[in-house]
Amino acid sequence: MPRPVRVRIAPSPTGTIHLGLARTALFNWAFARRSGGRFVLRIEDTDRERSTSESEQEIIEGLSWLGIEWDEGPDRGGPFGPYRQSERIESHREAARTLLEAGRAYRCFCTPKRLAELREGQQARKETAAYDRRCRALDPAEAAARADAGEPFALRFAVPPGETRVDDLVRGEVVFQNVDIDDWIMVRGDGNPTYNFVVVCDDAAMEISHVVRGEEHLVNTPKQVQLFAALDSRPPRFAHLPLMLGGDRKKLSKRAGDVSLEDYRAKGYPTGAILNFLALQGWALDGETEVFSTRRFVEAFRLEDVSKGGAVFDADKFRWLAGEYLRAESPADLAGHCAPFAAAAGLLDERQLTERAEWFEAVVAGERERISLYSELPDRIAYLFAADDAVAWEAKAEKNARKQGGALLAEYLEWLRPRLTGGVDAPALREATRAWIAERGAAFGVLFQPLRCALAGKAGGPDLFDIMAWLGGEACLRRIAVAIERLAAVREGER
Ligand code: GLU
């Protein structure tokens, strides 16, 4: 019988958002949207020491920034709350009692010392380390009496004999032999429940229909399937997404470079590019099209199409995608996305950004072909904000300028002076300047290279006359005058 689609992500709030979590969130969300189901955010904060509310906030804020939306969660409630695992402790205790009474779990009084000795012995004999199930044989009444007398104990799951089959939507049927599974701990001696136990309690209580998560959790799945059965609860379908691998084909980790969503946000990757890139980590639209919208992804996404093999992280492709998305933005959007980076670099404050919005939009549009990330903008346009007598000259720009010399530039300055009094009309000035050069029988570069160096200190960039319009007449004249001096001064020194 099909059941209503309900999926979830269950991140532990113990750090930043790893790209793996962002991908899991995206796939769950797409699956829920495509099948008309519900997507749940559940915060798995059972590790009290490592969990922080800042991290929970960061998860909520980061995923929202990406545009991934959940229907139920700690921030918006829902019919299956609470959505923070630590607030569901009562239901976990209840499940533990039920399992204990049914003989599916048992109290283990083995001390840490005994367990350590057991492990050492197994290691010495080169056996797999596993609990020898000594306490499973205890008479339940005796175990209850010892617990009542205050003896500390952990609660273990009594793994049944036989085998456990998981019909994974990505990996197909996976069969686990139960003898290979330890009688694992559900609740520790200190009363803290473990992941495998609570995740099943909560998935069962929240009527989760599909568990879509990273392949690293496949080893946990037989334990969880057995627990669903022990709780008399219908297990969800499972879909394990391939590991995201670094260039070294090992699990993507900090060693290999930036792995947290925040890193890419700080570098100015467009959200569309991030979503598109994540969608490609284990899934493909048609094997050819690499740039596609999130809407198209949602329309086409099926869990059955997710690949089994590891998805290798390709940083160059990610950057390339960023450029594709950045260039596809409207000038106003692009300016809006670049603005915080320009402000952080100290180029314009918020008031100036508002007052000079049109100007900034034009400047940003002029650079769009030369940047792939929003964060690359400030460096490209810093020259516009430099003092006119202190424009930094890049080596290549200076070399080009010196090759041509400043003679024509000096002549041009005199011609230009009266023509800039009423502001800079870029198209008119472009045409007039070209005619002026042609009259002199000179190549354009003889003027344009020193002029570009004078105005921007760069060898390449946007149209020169656009730059002049952005700078304004006064600044242009001053920069050109300074450049003529600079070019002359060193030439004298060279003699
Ligand atoms: N807290 C686990 C994780 O973030 C949840 C795994 C699961 O989805 O079952 O890896």
Side-chain angles (χ1 to χ4, degrees):
M1 258 255 294
R3 59 201 289 201
V5 167
R6 291 182 52 79
V7 294
R8 79 332 184 246
I9 50 166
S12 306
T14 54
T16 55
I17 304 182
H18 189 281
L19 286 182
L21 169 60
R23 186 211 31 191
T24 301
L26 174 66
F27 283 28
N28 272 281
W29 174 72
F31 176 64
R33 289 294 166 268
R34 183 159 192 268
S35 42
R38 308 266 294 174
F39 174 40
V40 177
L41 170 66
R42 186 174 70 226
I43 296 292
E44 232 167 48
D45 58 349
T46 30
D47 185 342
R48 301 304 293 158
E49 270 170 28
R50 293 176 56 227
S51 298
T52 65
S53 55
E54 290 78 36
S55 169
E56 178 183 318
Q57 265 320 304
E58 197 171 319
I59 290 169
I60 289 177
E61 209 270 318
L63 294 178
S64 307
W65 173 73
L66 270 183
I68 295 177
E69 289 168 337
W70 45 98
D71 306 298
E72 301 168 26
D75 56 328
R76 65 195 62 189
F80 292 84
Y83 293 92
R84 237 174 246 115
Q85 209 157 48
S86 59
E87 293 165 15
R88 307 180 61 84
I89 291 277
E90 241 350 282
S91 68
H92 304 147
R93 287 210 181 106
E94 165 117 30
R97 270 193 299 274
T98 310
L99 291 164
L100 191 58
E101 274 161 25
R104 303 303 309 267
Y106 61 92
R107 295 184 182 88
C108 171
F109 299 93
C110 293
T111 58
K113 183 162 169 286
R114 172 170 192 267
L115 294 173
E117 284 165 6
L118 184 64
R119 212 167 27 243
E120 278 159 27
Q122 287 165 337
Q123 268 161 7
R125 294 189 299 276
K126 301 225 175 338
E127 294 168 9
T128 322
Y131 178 56
D132 62 0
R133 301 185 171 179
R134 180 202 262 187
C135 292
R136 190 161 164 171
L138 285 178
D139 172 47
E142 185 199 328
R146 282 170 70 175
D148 287 346
E151 195 176 336
F153 64 89
L155 204 60
R156 286 185 188 270
F157 185 68
V159 173
E163 58 184 26
T164 304
R165 287 170 187 273
V166 178
D167 188 11
D168 192 275
L169 284 160
V170 174
R171 317 197 66 81
E173 188 173 64
V174 191
V175 183
F176 299 87
Q177 298 306 318
N178 294 359
V179 285
D180 297 332
I181 302 171
D182 211 1
D183 275 2
W184 51 280
I185 291 178
M186 289 170 27
V187 184
R188 294 198 190 85
D190 60 9
N192 278 324
T194 59
Y195 156 71
N196 276 308
F197 172 48
V198 278
V199 78
V200 170
C201 293
D202 295 345
D203 283 342
M206 294 186 178
E207 296 176 14
I208 297 302
S209 64
H210 295 75
V211 167
V212 181
R213 61 184 174 195
E215 193 188 315
E216 66 273 24
H217 285 292
L218 186 62
V219 290
N220 293 318
T221 309
K223 297 179 185 177
Q224 295 177 8
V225 168
Q226 290 165 14
L227 189 50
F228 275 106
L231 286 168
D232 231 353
S233 178
R234 180 172 169 184
R237 299 291 313 268
F238 289 89
H240 286 93
L241 310 174
L243 288 181
M244 282 172 67
L245 304 175
D248 54 1
R249 305 240 158 201
K250 294 203 181 102
K251 194 177 167 203
L252 188 63
S253 72
K254 276 227 167 69
R255 267 177 303 110
D258 289 328
V259 291
S260 88
L261 181 63
E262 189 46 44
D263 294 329
Y264 292 91
R265 186 175 180 177
K267 281 197 229 165
Y269 279 66
T271 50
I274 298 177
L275 291 167
N276 193 151
F277 181 74
L278 291 173
L280 289 169
Q281 304 303 300
W283 186 84
L285 184 63
D286 52 18
E288 267 174 41
T289 317
E290 299 210 280
V291 184
F292 47 81
S293 67
T294 308
R295 199 171 58 89
R296 239 180 125 195
F297 170 59
V298 171
E299 278 165 11
F301 182 69
R302 293 181 345 134
L303 286 169
E304 290 80 356
D305 297 335
V306 172
S307 66
K308 290 193 196 53
V312 180
F313 185 88
D314 183 342
D316 293 335
K317 185 191 260 185
F318 199 178
R319 209 188 140 76
W320 169 79
L321 269 175
E324 293 293 303
Y325 274 81
L326 180 147
R327 279 185 279 283
E329 289 182 14
S330 73
D333 282 350
L334 184 56
H337 289 138
C338 288
F341 292 89
L347 300 181
L348 293 101
D349 59 29
E350 282 204 14
R351 189 178 51 82
Q352 292 166 319
L353 278 163
T354 321
E355 282 172 7
R356 304 174 68 186
E358 224 174 288
W359 178 88
F360 186 65
E361 205 176 294
V363 167
V364 173
E367 292 293 348
R368 69 189 311 146
E369 296 305 321
R370 277 168 292 275
I371 57 172
S372 296
L373 311 174
Y374 307 135
S375 60
E376 289 169 355
L377 181 82
D379 246 15
R380 301 256 3 143
I381 64 166
Y383 71 90
L384 291 169
F385 302 86
D388 293 328
D389 57 356
V391 177
W393 287 3
E394 286 174 5
K396 188 165 174 223
E398 180 160 0
K399 196 168 155 235
N400 291 346
R402 292 205 179 284
K403 203 170 81 199
Q404 308 298 357
L408 199 59
L409 193 59
E411 227 185 291
Y412 182 64
L413 178 61
E414 294 321 313
W415 175 83
L416 191 62
R417 215 181 278 285
R419 286 177 173 76
L420 290 188
T421 46
V424 182
D425 175 350
L429 190 59
R430 183 181 302 122
E431 210 177 303
T433 302
R434 282 169 179 269
W436 183 83
I437 299 174
E439 268 169 36
R440 274 153 190 76
F444 288 142
V446 181
L447 175 68
F448 287 169
Q449 291 188 348
L451 183 56
R452 186 175 283 285
C453 181
L455 299 173
K458 292 185 188 303
D463 181 88
L464 262 180
F465 300 93
D466 286 344
I467 292 180
M468 287 172 88
W470 300 335
L471 280 170
E474 285 295 306
C476 291
L477 297 175
R478 277 197 299 269
R479 286 179 185 215
I480 296 171
V482 169
I484 292 166
E485 265 179 47
R486 257 173 95 172
L487 290 170
V490 179
R491 225 182 302 126
E492 269 163 28
E494 279 170 357
R495 281 200 197 120

